[in-house]
Amino acid sequence: MKDVTPLTDGWTLRHDEAPLPAQVPGCVHTDLYAAGIIPDPCIGLNEPEVAWVGKRSWTYATSLGHGSGHERTDLVFDGLDTAATITLDGRELGSTRNMHRGYRFDVTGAAGVLEVDFTSAYDEAEAVRALTGNRPNVYPEPSQYIRKMACNFGWDWGPTLVTAGIWRPVRLEHWSTARIASVRPVVTVEEGAGRVEVRLLVERTAGGRGRGLVAAATVAGVHAEVAFEGDEAVLRLDVEDARLWWPRGYGEQPLYRLDVELRDAGGVLDTWERRVGFRTVELDRSSDEHGSGFTIVVNGVRIFARGVNWIPDDVFPSRITPERYRARLRQAADANVDLVRVWGGGIYEDDAFYDACDELGLMVWQDFLFACSAYPEEQPLRGEVEAEARDNVVRLMPHPSLVLWNGNNENLWGFRDWGWEPELAGDSWGEGYYLGLLPRLVAELDPTRPYAAGSPWSGSWEHHPNDPAHGTYHSWEVWNRQDYAEYRADVPRFVAEFGWQAPPAMATLRRALPGEELAPDSPGMLHHQKAEDGNGKLDRGVARHFELPENDFDRWHYLTQVVQARAVAAGIEHWRSHWPVCAGTVVWQLNDCWPVSSWSAIDGDGRPKPLYHELRRVYADRLLTLQPDDGGSPVLAVINQSGAEWRTSVTLRRLEADGTTVHRGVHEVTVGPRSVLRLPVPVELVPAEQSAKEFVVADADGLRALHFPVADKDFAYPRPEYDVTVEAVAGKGDTVDVVVSAHTLLRDLLLQADRLDPRAAADQGLRTLLPGEQARFRVTGCGPVDAKRARAALFCADAR
């Protein structure tokens, strides 16, 4: 039986200086920080002070013994970041140039000092650039010349921290006769019966060549065996009445353990196990009167995807634990998200990420790792791209949550619109990967899943790559230049990216910018704002709706977060109301990798912004929304994404600013499963055009929708009046209820719980209260709080 020895202890890091203790898995930055040599690069203005780290070479070393009685010993690296030469006892074992794949070296009988010498990623990238020539890039750093996490080189939400190190586990594997080299479980469902076709590849020792082997597999109580003499075997297991895996909200997520065993006449040689799920997935891209669609279909059910984009959750991915993956993805599921897109400028995440998605019912859209750049297709990159894709398709294909492979992020669009074509002058730029190599590999290795060439992509060069009527669409013009109301200007077939910025929570800012007098343009705030004209866009977004605060950071901070939440909600409510023409929205972005002003719903310290709570509302199975028609009058959309019919009474009220009811109507509605009902609001319930004194409220089953004819700064809000009480929660010493009783209209009331205690969190975000209504915010992690402190943490849009 194969023996495995983890190599996690006894490593050192050096570059000229005396060796330092090193953590493996880890990276140079985290080791230098632990040794007190560099400051935390995510705090204050420290980032540029550590830029030198990424420009130097580094060596990891340990002593390697050998005491195995097996025929063969392999040194196995699951991930090396990135360009490295590996030597053992002075003998070179090999070299690497790809962060995104694993490596294996035969070290049978060898011992001595093991060294992993990392070349600067900048030097490696420049060496490749010298071979391939220049290619255009959205960012100035050379990320497209090295197979490394692109956002290491900086992004419009991330710092430039170019890492090196043994970033994933390393071990010795001792084995004899043969080992399992790879397992590809092709899982299908037909007429209620599941099938797992196990395609097994083995590697043999010299003494094991020609020896008879037996492969065995078991799933759901079904067992199969096959004897073979070559290097490949295929086993088929048929599971009658297999329980289907469903996305969250559509059914359960049963997972079945698949065990594979390799043996010879002497016994078991090697084993492999994963969990699989039975389900079908298709991508409906058929044409209709609106263009050509992009609808995910699971087990025959068409799905409006309620998605978020995922970036690496830490600037140093080796710090992300399985517990952290699960916590962040649990946050996503709790916000009614059902799809997570793993963005192409990051990494193929650890198996713990996909395990959590399998269990939580979160569909995974997986980008291949190409983003916002033209990529050379010549060697040495082409061979690395193919090896990387093969490694990761085979590694990830057991996961039922994985529903889509996607070729790249924005590169097809970039070629057409960003001035690349004349600059390239006929040079390769990645099209051969996205339209040739990658779809061939997916068809060969993982034929049960659909592949899309890119995002955005209209399906062919017959249409503009970012045509909203065809395929996937990225909506960035609104954030960059327009008011969020412009999201309502069209109905794309699938919105794969859109978003709006806001700063992180106040407690996150105070931790990340210690001692700084916070202001929108204070040094730390500007440094932790990486978007081009980011603060200008934030200010313009606020100014379209509110008086832009001067010398009031608390108010500015609150209003930017309100506008972010409103903007994303406006887009989702509009696009959901046009299902099935629009078949999904994927918000940019769920998470952050450090404390920064960005488009995230959860900031770099894991604190939810108001946007997070809005996602929970607008991604719920049932949603009310009031959408302006072409003339500005509201239309009521009753959205039912549940599998059951929705019968309800919708109460519509036209109210004056002081809460007086001008007119009231009740509408009995029935909305079928997975469908939308759109109803014009009766004329007697519609305020006069541009009225600054009236608004519309729709209520049903605890849900509420609002329509104000004018911007907040033009509306005649009364001065807000409300009472605040604090109630202890029995048996929970760190939990209180903050109860707000409204005497006037309170628009977008928010309790910023982290102002009470950095550990505190509230169970809800923005609430609009009418006179006489009450909101109860449950706050955990805060300890004792009095009403005065609670009031100081409350904000509302109509403050005077």
Side-chain angles (χ1 to χ4, degrees):
M1 179 66 179
K2 180 176 74 176
D3 295 328
V4 177
T5 305
L7 298 178
T8 55
D9 300 326
W11 288 90
T12 60
L13 171 68
R14 71 172 185 271
H15 177 92
D16 298 336
E17 304 89 352
L20 302 171
Q23 182 174 331
V24 172
C27 76
V28 171
H29 288 79
T30 53
D31 290 332
L32 294 174
Y33 176 60
I37 292 174
I38 63 171
D40 185 338
C42 297
I43 298 299
L45 307 179
N46 292 340
E47 175 201 344
E49 294 183 22
V50 303
W52 60 272
V53 175
K55 297 177 180 177
R56 298 176 66 171
S57 59
W58 300 92
T59 298
Y60 283 80
T62 191
S63 293
L64 194 65
H66 183 77
S68 172
H70 278 287
E71 294 178 70
R72 172 88 170 260
T73 298
D74 288 344
L75 173 64
V76 183
F77 294 95
D78 286 340
L80 292 170
D81 177 17
T82 293
T85 300
I86 298 93
T87 59
L88 178 58
D89 196 29
R91 177 175 68 91
E92 183 175 324
L93 299 177
S95 60
T96 72
R97 59 195 333 155
N98 194 325
M99 180 181 182
H100 306 304
R101 54 178 294 209
Y103 295 91
R104 178 180 293 267
F105 303 100
D106 184 350
V107 295
T108 305
V113 176
L114 173 64
E115 293 187 327
V116 185
D117 298 304
F118 288 98
T119 300
S120 162
Y122 285 103
D123 291 344
E124 168 70 9
E126 290 308 322
V128 172
R129 193 206 301 255
L131 293 173
T132 64
N134 286 318
R135 299 294 192 282
N137 186 344
V138 170
Y139 299 100
E141 302 274 316
S143 62
Q144 72 265 54
Y145 305 105
I146 182 170
R147 296 309 299 157
K148 176 175 173 57
M149 184 170 90
C151 60
N152 261 175
F153 291 94
W155 221 261
D156 57 3
W157 37 258
T160 301
L161 294 168
V162 179
T163 54
I166 304 171
W167 78 289
R168 278 184 166 158
V170 55
R171 61 191 175 276
L172 292 175
E173 292 187 0
H174 314 281
W175 55 283
S176 298
T177 305
R179 70 174 185 89
I180 297 174
S182 70
V183 177
R184 290 196 299 115
V186 180
V187 182
T188 55
V189 180
E190 188 172 345
E191 296 181 356
R195 169 173 283 187
V196 182
E197 185 178 272
V198 178
R199 294 190 168 270
L200 179 71
L201 180 66
V202 303
E203 182 183 10
R204 295 173 180 262
T205 63
R209 291 196 185 109
R211 185 176 299 183
L213 300 174
V214 174
T218 304
V219 66
V222 179
H223 184 77
E225 292 189 5
V226 63
F228 66 104
E229 294 183 351
D231 296 333
E232 298 182 51
V234 179
L235 302 98
R236 294 179 177 86
L237 301 101
D238 291 314
V239 180
E240 299 296 331
D241 299 320
R243 295 174 61 216
L244 296 179
W245 183 97
W246 289 93
R248 64 165 302 283
Y250 289 79
E252 297 180 346
Q253 293 79 43
L255 299 170
Y256 295 85
R257 175 169 162 162
L258 171 63
D259 289 284
V260 178
E261 184 178 88
L262 179 68
R263 63 178 186 265
D264 65 2
V268 177
L269 300 171
D270 200 358
T271 61
W272 178 99
E273 67 88 11
R274 298 288 189 277
R275 293 181 303 174
V276 298
F278 293 98
R279 54 101 183 96
T280 64
V281 58
E282 304 165 80
L283 187 59
D284 184 355
R285 291 182 266 202
S286 57
S287 298
D288 56 27
E289 68 272 23
H290 305 287
S292 48
F294 192 93
T295 304
I296 296 170
V297 183
V298 178
N299 299 328
V301 175
R302 301 169 66 82
I303 290 174
F304 181 97
R306 294 169 278 189
V308 288
N309 281 274
W310 172 278
I311 66 169
D313 204 52
D314 199 301
V315 290
F316 306 126
S318 59
R319 298 196 297 199
I320 307 173
T321 63
E323 294 75 21
R324 181 162 159 187
Y325 273 127
R326 188 168 296 275
R328 194 71 70 245
L329 291 166
R330 179 75 261 176
Q331 286 177 299
D334 288 345
N336 294 313
V337 167
D338 60 21
L339 180 141
V340 179
R341 176 191 173 209
V342 181
W343 167 75
I347 59 175
Y348 303 99
E349 299 290 342
D350 188 81
D351 280 306
F353 172 93
Y354 305 92
D355 286 340
C357 290
D358 290 343
E359 296 168 16
L360 293 168
L362 294 170
M363 296 179 288
V364 176
W365 158 334
Q366 177 67 58
D367 279 11
F368 287 101
L369 300 185
F370 304 90
C372 299
S373 303
Y375 286 81
E377 296 176 39
E378 294 79 21
Q379 298 293 11
L381 290 179
R382 186 176 185 85
E384 289 295 339
V385 166
E386 178 167 354
E388 165 194 319
R390 287 185 177 276
D391 273 13
N392 286 284
V393 170
V394 171
R395 176 172 73 91
L396 299 181
M397 62 184 290
H399 295 282
S401 56
L402 178 57
V403 299
L404 179 68
W405 293 104
N406 179 60
N408 74 89
N409 176 75
E410 298 191 341
N411 295 343
L412 296 161
W413 182 20
F415 178 77
R416 176 59 56 86
D417 269 6
W418 301 347
W420 292 3
E421 191 167 1
E423 185 178 343
L424 286 163
D427 287 341
S428 67
W429 56 275
E431 182 183 27
Y433 296 147
Y434 320 134
L435 299 179
L437 175 65
L438 295 174
R440 286 199 302 270
L441 291 178
V442 171
E444 171 196 342
L445 299 171
D446 190 15
T448 69
R449 286 184 178 87
Y451 169 86
S455 185
W457 180 234
S458 59
S460 78
W461 288 114
E462 294 180 4
H463 305 287
H464 187 281
N466 199 30
D467 186 335
H470 299 275
T472 49
Y473 178 68
H474 288 196
S475 178
W476 284 116
E477 196 67 13
V478 173
W479 154 254
N480 284 322
R481 295 175 181 84
Q482 299 171 341
D483 180 49
Y484 61 73
E486 294 304 311
Y487 284 132
R488 304 186 184 107
D490 52 31
V491 182
R493 305 312 302 267
F494 193 105
V495 187
E497 280 190 22
F498 78 108
W500 204 275
Q501 268 203 355
M506 189 63 72
T508 300
L509 287 174
R510 287 173 176 153
R511 185 194 68 81
L513 305 175
E516 178 163 312
E517 185 176 346
L518 295 175
D521 58 353
S522 59
M525 286 295 296
L526 291 178
H527 184 72
H528 289 247
Q529 165 60 277
K530 298 296 187 179
E532 181 181 0
D533 190 30
N535 273 17
K537 293 170 185 176
L538 285 174
D539 286 350
R540 289 191 290 276
V542 170
R544 293 182 184 108
H545 297 268
F546 302 93
E547 296 296 333
L548 189 65
E550 295 184 12
N551 302 317
D552 187 346
F553 181 76
D554 287 346
R555 179 82 176 152
W556 179 87
H557 177 266
Y558 160 75
L559 290 177
T560 53
Q561 292 201 329
V562 167
V563 172
Q564 180 192 36
R566 284 196 193 176
V568 172
I572 293 174
E573 290 185 21
H574 167 66
W575 293 319
R576 280 193 72 182
S577 75
H578 287 279
W579 160 261
V581 177
C582 180
T585 57
V586 189
V587 176
W588 188 271
Q589 63 212 65
L590 175 69
N591 58 326
D592 269 325
C593 61
W594 75 314
V596 64
S597 291
S598 83
W599 298 264
S600 71
I602 302 168
D603 74 19
D605 282 5
R607 293 186 175 94
K609 300 179 185 177
L611 170 59
Y612 173 82
H613 297 284
E614 277 297 276
L615 287 181
R616 187 167 57 190
R617 180 182 70 83
V618 297
Y619 272 166
D621 280 351
R622 293 174 173 176
L623 175 68
L624 291 182
T625 179
L626 289 163
Q627 295 291 316
D629 63 15
D630 291 341
S633 295
V635 172
L636 174 68
V638 188
I639 300 166
N640 179 25
Q641 201 164 343
S642 75
E645 183 179 81
W646 185 16
R647 294 177 179 270
T648 189
S649 298
V650 180
T651 301
L652 283 164
R653 286 177 287 172
R654 179 174 141 214
L655 301 177
E656 293 183 346
D658 64 2
T660 301
T661 298
V662 178
H663 199 87
R664 180 180 182 275
V666 178
H667 298 264
E668 303 296 328
V669 299
T670 300
V671 190
R674 325 282 188 208
S675 60
V676 177
L677 178 67
R678 293 173 62 91
L679 298 170
V681 173
V683 64
E684 64 271 15
L685 288 164
V686 178
E689 184 177 354
Q690 296 299 303
S691 170
K693 297 181 178 180
E694 293 184 345
F695 62 104
V696 182
V697 179
D699 291 295
D701 295 348
L703 306 178
R704 170 166 285 176
L706 299 163
H707 170 74
F708 286 78
V710 296
D712 294 71
K713 62 185 178 182
D714 299 322
F715 193 75
Y717 285 118
R719 182 175 295 278
E721 296 181 9
Y722 55 92
D723 295 328
V724 179
T725 58
V726 179
E727 300 176 5
V729 177
K732 296 182 178 180
D734 68 341
T735 303
V736 299
D737 283 347
V738 176
V739 183
V740 179
S741 301
H743 301 301
T744 62
L745 171 65
L746 301 180
R747 181 88 184 274
D748 284 337
L749 179 72
L750 176 68
L751 175 65
Q752 293 189 357
D754 60 292
R755 290 176 178 268
L756 303 176
D757 189 297
R759 300 165 298 173
D763 66 342
Q764 56 190 305
L766 302 172
R767 292 283 306 274
T768 293
L769 302 182
L770 305 180
E773 292 184 337
Q774 190 177 84
R776 180 177 294 268
F777 297 88
R778 176 148 294 186
V779 182
T780 57
C782 64
V785 174
D786 61 26
K788 182 177 181 181
R789 284 186 61 212
R791 181 178 282 272
L794 285 163
F795 295 82
C796 61
D798 46 344
R800 292 289 188 270

